[in-house]
Amino acid sequence: MATLVVGLGYVGATLAGRLLGRGERVIGLDNFFSVDRRTTSLLERHGAFELIEGDIRSESDVVRAFSVEAVDHLYFCAAQASADDSTIPASYTETTNLIGPRIVFEEAARRDVGRIVLASAMRVYGQPLPSRVDESTPFTFQRDLTHLSKLYLEGLAHIIAERSKMPVVSVRLGVVYGVGAVVKTDPRFMTVANRLCWQACHGEAPRLALGVGHLPIVHVSDAVAGMIRAAQIDEPGYSAVNLAGDPVTLRDLAEVVASEASRRGRTFDVPAVGGWKGDAPVVESRLTAMGFAPRVALRDGLRELIDYFLARV
């Protein structure tokens, strides 16, 4: 039996590497829209990894991935993840984030896959976050197609789980940051924390959006570990878990980046705007009762990321 990782981007490639390290047989599916094909070379050197270069929007490509060998676990990490609607065609976002998941989930149900773990986002709760968040917190309005599609993704997963009785776990990730097996080099596809570090290393001034409140944030290593732990939830049907560390304001995040950049001789002036006066929301997670908590400290993760980008300037 094998594990299928759909989407070998920032989270998916790191997850595939972690699973291989645990001795699992891994199949990876990706179309390399926002990832350099060469970044999977380390995975491909592993004898227990098989790459299927294909598109989740193509039924034949999805069937090829499932046909390598019987799949027990499916980790779904594929998405057009950039919220910059001005640079990514809306049609690509819609077909990738809406049609693609349906094709994959329906094939998983036909193949009697043991369980699905999907990467969702805590943005489903809105921005800014409510004062207290747990997995029962209602979803709310979204401002871009990328995050709007997360609402559809979770609804679709719920339908598939109810129809097939297959366990499906949605892992609602905070803003993922840090050095993973794949680190995006195009700022359009970077998360806000990674983009701030990239800007600090390239001499660009930070641009801080107003009104976003506190950001739930999680290191990519913790995101992957949490997804693997979530796969242990053995409940029929659909369930969800939150996965993030302590929320931080965008301004505070930028100031940590500026502090670490300054120690490396880089000037990163954080503008006076962008602060948030409200209290930090309380984020609860079912993973806590399972003994899981994020381990990477924010400053440590940002320091490593800045060093990574500086080595490539």
Side-chain angles (χ1 to χ4, degrees):
M1 300 290 282
T3 297
L4 174 59
V5 178
V6 176
L8 295 173
Y10 185 36
V11 174
T14 306
L15 172 63
R18 184 74 60 88
L19 294 170
L20 289 168
R22 288 161 50 95
E24 297 190 30
R25 164 91 172 131
V26 178
I27 305 162
L29 172 65
D30 202 284
N31 68 349
F32 300 103
F33 173 77
S34 63
V35 176
D36 190 323
R37 173 70 171 73
R38 294 169 294 181
T39 59
T40 61
S41 59
L42 288 178
L43 295 176
E44 292 181 80
R45 293 174 193 168
H46 201 293
F49 178 78
E50 181 150 353
L51 173 66
I52 302 297
E53 187 168 352
D55 198 308
I56 61 172
R57 300 173 298 172
S58 164
E59 292 185 9
S60 60
D61 287 348
V62 170
V63 168
R64 276 197 300 128
F66 276 97
S67 299
V68 173
E69 64 179 88
V71 172
D72 183 40
H73 283 52
L74 165 65
Y75 288 92
F76 188 85
C77 304
Q80 191 301 97
S82 174
D84 187 351
D85 294 339
S86 65
T87 59
I88 308 298
S91 59
Y92 182 81
T93 299
E94 290 171 342
T95 53
T96 299
N97 293 4
L98 304 182
I99 295 175
R102 176 184 57 78
I103 293 173
V104 174
F105 292 170
E106 288 180 347
E107 188 64 22
R110 279 193 289 269
R111 302 273 180 156
D112 292 324
V113 169
R115 70 189 63 248
I116 297 175
V117 179
L118 64 97
S120 184
M122 287 191 63
R123 271 288 294 273
V124 297
Y125 302 124
Q127 195 177 65
L129 288 172
S131 60
R132 181 174 293 274
V133 177
D134 63 21
E135 288 83 1
S136 67
T137 299
F139 295 169
T140 190
F141 174 76
Q142 302 298 318
R143 294 180 172 84
D144 58 79
L145 289 177
T146 297
H147 291 103
L148 178 62
S149 67
K150 292 298 184 184
L151 307 186
Y152 172 87
L153 176 67
E154 294 220 21
L156 174 67
H158 203 156
I159 291 171
I160 293 294
E162 290 299 313
R163 288 179 178 175
S164 66
K165 307 306 178 186
M166 173 174 44
V168 178
V169 183
S170 171
V171 181
R172 296 170 184 161
L173 298 170
V175 176
V176 183
Y177 78 102
V179 178
V182 167
V183 178
K184 303 290 181 68
T185 57
D186 185 338
R188 293 178 303 165
F189 300 107
M190 293 180 185
T191 64
V192 62
N194 285 18
R195 187 166 59 249
L196 285 171
C197 291
W198 185 91
Q199 289 171 334
C201 295
H202 286 79
E204 292 192 7
R207 296 181 295 275
L208 304 185
L210 297 173
V212 299
H214 288 78
L215 300 174
I217 193 163
V218 61
H219 192 274
V220 63
S221 177
D222 287 327
V224 164
M227 291 184 70
I228 293 173
R229 181 64 63 88
Q232 298 174 10
I233 296 175
D234 194 20
E235 300 174 3
Y238 175 84
S239 58
V241 297
N242 295 326
L243 178 49
D246 293 332
V248 60
T249 67
L250 186 56
R251 180 175 176 79
D252 288 345
L253 179 63
E255 287 180 343
V256 175
V257 172
S259 171
E260 291 301 322
S262 176
R263 295 181 182 184
R264 290 152 179 79
R266 298 281 170 157
T267 299
F268 193 57
D269 294 324
V270 180
V273 298
W276 182 260
K277 303 300 183 183
D279 294 333
V282 176
V283 176
E284 299 177 356
S285 172
R286 292 182 60 197
L287 289 173
T288 303
M290 298 174 64
F292 177 85
R295 301 177 63 180
V296 180
L298 178 61
R299 185 174 290 273
D300 292 342
L302 293 175
R303 182 186 302 121
E304 179 189 29
L305 187 57
I306 289 170
D307 288 341
Y308 175 91
F309 284 134
L310 283 177
R312 290 158 178 80
V313 170

